[in-house]
PDB file of all heavy atoms in Angstrom:
ATOM      1  N   GLU G 330      15.844   7.868  -2.076  1.00 61.00           N
ATOM      2  CA  GLU G 330      17.158   8.168  -2.635  1.00 61.00           C
ATOM      3  C   GLU G 330      17.559   9.636  -2.474  1.00 61.00           C
ATOM      4  O   GLU G 330      18.757   9.949  -2.432  1.00 61.00           O
ATOM      5  CB  GLU G 330      17.203   7.775  -4.110  1.00 61.00           C
ATOM      6  CG  GLU G 330      16.240   8.509  -5.000  1.00 61.00           C
ATOM      7  CD  GLU G 330      16.295   8.001  -6.433  1.00 61.00           C
ATOM      8  OE1 GLU G 330      17.064   7.067  -6.697  1.00 61.00           O
ATOM      9  OE2 GLU G 330      15.555   8.534  -7.283  1.00 61.00           O
ATOM     10  N   ARG G 331      16.586  10.540  -2.375  1.00 62.00           N
ATOM     11  CA  ARG G 331      16.943  11.951  -2.198  1.00 62.00           C
ATOM     12  C   ARG G 331      17.608  12.206  -0.844  1.00 62.00           C
ATOM     13  O   ARG G 331      18.308  13.201  -0.667  1.00 62.00           O
ATOM     14  CB  ARG G 331      15.697  12.829  -2.324  1.00 62.00           C
ATOM     15  CG  ARG G 331      15.053  12.841  -3.696  1.00 62.00           C
ATOM     16  CD  ARG G 331      13.853  13.755  -3.710  1.00 62.00           C
ATOM     17  NE  ARG G 331      12.894  13.386  -2.682  1.00 62.00           N
ATOM     18  CZ  ARG G 331      11.856  14.131  -2.321  1.00 62.00           C
ATOM     19  NH1 ARG G 331      11.666  15.308  -2.889  1.00 62.00           N
ATOM     20  NH2 ARG G 331      11.018  13.713  -1.399  1.00 62.00           N
ATOM     21  N   VAL G 332      17.361  11.294   0.097  1.00 63.00           N
ATOM     22  CA  VAL G 332      17.943  11.436   1.427  1.00 63.00           C
ATOM     23  C   VAL G 332      19.208  10.597   1.560  1.00 63.00           C
ATOM     24  O   VAL G 332      20.274  11.097   1.923  1.00 63.00           O
ATOM     25  CB  VAL G 332      16.923  11.029   2.514  1.00 63.00           C
ATOM     26  CG1 VAL G 332      17.585  10.985   3.891  1.00 63.00           C
ATOM     27  CG2 VAL G 332      15.745  11.993   2.511  1.00 63.00           C
ATOM     28  N   PHE G 333      19.106   9.311   1.238  1.00 61.00           N
ATOM     29  CA  PHE G 333      20.209   8.408   1.546  1.00 61.00           C
ATOM     30  C   PHE G 333      21.372   8.485   0.573  1.00 61.00           C
ATOM     31  O   PHE G 333      22.530   8.340   0.974  1.00 61.00           O
ATOM     32  CB  PHE G 333      19.685   6.971   1.639  1.00 61.00           C
ATOM     33  CG  PHE G 333      18.838   6.727   2.862  1.00 61.00           C
ATOM     34  CD1 PHE G 333      17.475   6.546   2.752  1.00 61.00           C
ATOM     35  CD2 PHE G 333      19.411   6.722   4.120  1.00 61.00           C
ATOM     36  CE1 PHE G 333      16.696   6.339   3.881  1.00 61.00           C
ATOM     37  CE2 PHE G 333      18.644   6.520   5.259  1.00 61.00           C
ATOM     38  CZ  PHE G 333      17.283   6.324   5.140  1.00 61.00           C
ATOM     39  N   LEU G 334      21.116   8.725  -0.715  1.00 60.00           N
ATOM     40  CA  LEU G 334      22.227   8.816  -1.656  1.00 60.00           C
ATOM     41  C   LEU G 334      23.137  10.006  -1.347  1.00 60.00           C
ATOM     42  O   LEU G 334      24.367   9.836  -1.279  1.00 60.00           O
ATOM     43  CB  LEU G 334      21.701   8.880  -3.091  1.00 60.00           C
ATOM     44  CG  LEU G 334      21.071   7.595  -3.639  1.00 60.00           C
ATOM     45  CD1 LEU G 334      20.673   7.778  -5.096  1.00 60.00           C
ATOM     46  CD2 LEU G 334      22.019   6.408  -3.486  1.00 60.00           C
ATOM     47  N   PRO G 335      22.604  11.209  -1.124  1.00 61.00           N
ATOM     48  CA  PRO G 335      23.493  12.305  -0.719  1.00 61.00           C
ATOM     49  C   PRO G 335      24.181  12.036   0.625  1.00 61.00           C
ATOM     50  O   PRO G 335      25.369  12.339   0.790  1.00 61.00           O
ATOM     51  CB  PRO G 335      22.557  13.514  -0.622  1.00 61.00           C
ATOM     52  CG  PRO G 335      21.398  13.165  -1.468  1.00 61.00           C
ATOM     53  CD  PRO G 335      21.229  11.677  -1.339  1.00 61.00           C
ATOM     54  N   ALA G 336      23.443  11.473   1.572  1.00 62.00           N
ATOM     55  CA  ALA G 336      24.029  11.220   2.895  1.00 62.00           C
ATOM     56  C   ALA G 336      25.198  10.251   2.794  1.00 62.00           C
ATOM     57  O   ALA G 336      26.247  10.449   3.429  1.00 62.00           O
ATOM     58  CB  ALA G 336      22.969  10.676   3.845  1.00 62.00           C
ATOM     59  N   LEU G 337      25.054   9.211   1.992  1.00 61.00           N
ATOM     60  CA  LEU G 337      26.131   8.240   1.823  1.00 61.00           C
ATOM     61  C   LEU G 337      27.337   8.839   1.118  1.00 61.00           C
ATOM     62  O   LEU G 337      28.471   8.358   1.283  1.00 61.00           O
ATOM     63  CB  LEU G 337      25.625   7.024   1.047  1.00 61.00           C
ATOM     64  CG  LEU G 337      24.620   6.131   1.788  1.00 61.00           C
ATOM     65  CD1 LEU G 337      24.012   5.101   0.849  1.00 61.00           C
ATOM     66  CD2 LEU G 337      25.295   5.452   2.972  1.00 61.00           C
ATOM     67  N   ALA G 338      27.091   9.878   0.322  1.00 65.00           N
ATOM     68  CA  ALA G 338      28.188  10.543  -0.390  1.00 65.00           C
ATOM     69  C   ALA G 338      28.780  11.702   0.408  1.00 65.00           C
ATOM     70  O   ALA G 338      29.632  12.437  -0.098  1.00 65.00           O
ATOM     71  CB  ALA G 338      27.677  11.057  -1.741  1.00 65.00           C
ATOM     72  N   GLY G 339      28.316  11.854   1.649  1.00 66.00           N
ATOM     73  CA  GLY G 339      28.834  12.921   2.492  1.00 66.00           C
ATOM     74  C   GLY G 339      28.273  14.283   2.157  1.00 66.00           C
ATOM     75  O   GLY G 339      28.850  15.311   2.537  1.00 66.00           O
ATOM     76  N   LYS G 340      27.134  14.305   1.451  1.00 67.00           N
ATOM     77  CA  LYS G 340      26.502  15.559   1.065  1.00 67.00           C
ATOM     78  C   LYS G 340      25.237  15.793   1.891  1.00 67.00           C
ATOM     79  O   LYS G 340      24.815  14.934   2.660  1.00 67.00           O
ATOM     80  CB  LYS G 340      26.170  15.543  -0.423  1.00 67.00           C
ATOM     81  CG  LYS G 340      27.393  15.360  -1.321  1.00 67.00           C
ATOM     82  CD  LYS G 340      26.993  15.307  -2.780  1.00 67.00           C
ATOM     83  CE  LYS G 340      28.207  15.094  -3.674  1.00 67.00           C
ATOM     84  NZ  LYS G 340      27.832  15.014  -5.108  1.00 67.00           N
ATOM     85  N   THR G 341      24.635  16.947   1.714  1.00 66.00           N
ATOM     86  CA  THR G 341      23.432  17.299   2.478  1.00 66.00           C
ATOM     87  C   THR G 341      22.216  16.587   1.907  1.00 66.00           C
ATOM     88  O   THR G 341      21.925  16.709   0.710  1.00 66.00           O
ATOM     89  CB  THR G 341      23.191  18.819   2.427  1.00 66.00           C
ATOM     90  OG1 THR G 341      24.337  19.497   2.948  1.00 66.00           O
ATOM     91  CG2 THR G 341      21.957  19.189   3.250  1.00 66.00           C
ATOM     92  N   PRO G 342      21.485  15.813   2.729  1.00 68.00           N
ATOM     93  CA  PRO G 342      20.274  15.137   2.232  1.00 68.00           C
ATOM     94  C   PRO G 342      19.168  16.139   1.954  1.00 68.00           C
ATOM     95  O   PRO G 342      19.114  17.215   2.558  1.00 68.00           O
ATOM     96  CB  PRO G 342      19.901  14.196   3.379  1.00 68.00           C
ATOM     97  CG  PRO G 342      20.500  14.807   4.588  1.00 68.00           C
ATOM     98  CD  PRO G 342      21.757  15.488   4.141  1.00 68.00           C
ATOM     99  N   ARG G 343      18.275  15.774   1.051  1.00 68.00           N
ATOM    100  CA  ARG G 343      17.152  16.636   0.666  1.00 68.00           C
ATOM    101  C   ARG G 343      15.910  16.198   1.423  1.00 68.00           C
ATOM    102  O   ARG G 343      15.196  15.289   1.001  1.00 68.00           O
ATOM    103  CB  ARG G 343      16.945  16.580  -0.844  1.00 68.00           C
ATOM    104  CG  ARG G 343      18.104  17.114  -1.642  1.00 68.00           C
ATOM    105  CD  ARG G 343      17.950  16.773  -3.115  1.00 68.00           C
ATOM    106  NE  ARG G 343      16.708  17.307  -3.669  1.00 68.00           N
ATOM    107  CZ  ARG G 343      16.231  16.977  -4.866  1.00 68.00           C
ATOM    108  NH1 ARG G 343      16.892  16.102  -5.607  1.00 68.00           N
ATOM    109  NH2 ARG G 343      15.103  17.499  -5.298  1.00 68.00           N
ATOM    110  N   LEU G 344      15.649  16.830   2.541  1.00 67.00           N
ATOM    111  CA  LEU G 344      14.492  16.522   3.358  1.00 67.00           C
ATOM    112  C   LEU G 344      13.363  17.494   3.046  1.00 67.00           C
ATOM    113  O   LEU G 344      13.592  18.590   2.537  1.00 67.00           O
ATOM    114  CB  LEU G 344      14.853  16.597   4.839  1.00 67.00           C
ATOM    115  CG  LEU G 344      15.919  15.597   5.305  1.00 67.00           C
ATOM    116  CD1 LEU G 344      16.449  15.997   6.662  1.00 67.00           C
ATOM    117  CD2 LEU G 344      15.356  14.195   5.345  1.00 67.00           C
ATOM    118  N   GLY G 345      12.127  17.094   3.338  1.00 67.00           N
ATOM    119  CA  GLY G 345      10.975  17.945   3.070  1.00 67.00           C
ATOM    120  C   GLY G 345      10.149  18.176   4.318  1.00 67.00           C
ATOM    121  O   GLY G 345      10.152  17.367   5.247  1.00 67.00           O
TER     122      GLY G 345
END
Side-chain angles (χ1 to χ4, degrees):
E330 62 183 1
R331 294 181 304 169
V332 172
F333 289 109
L334 290 184
L337 291 170
K340 300 178 181 179
T341 302
R343 296 169 58 191
L344 298 165

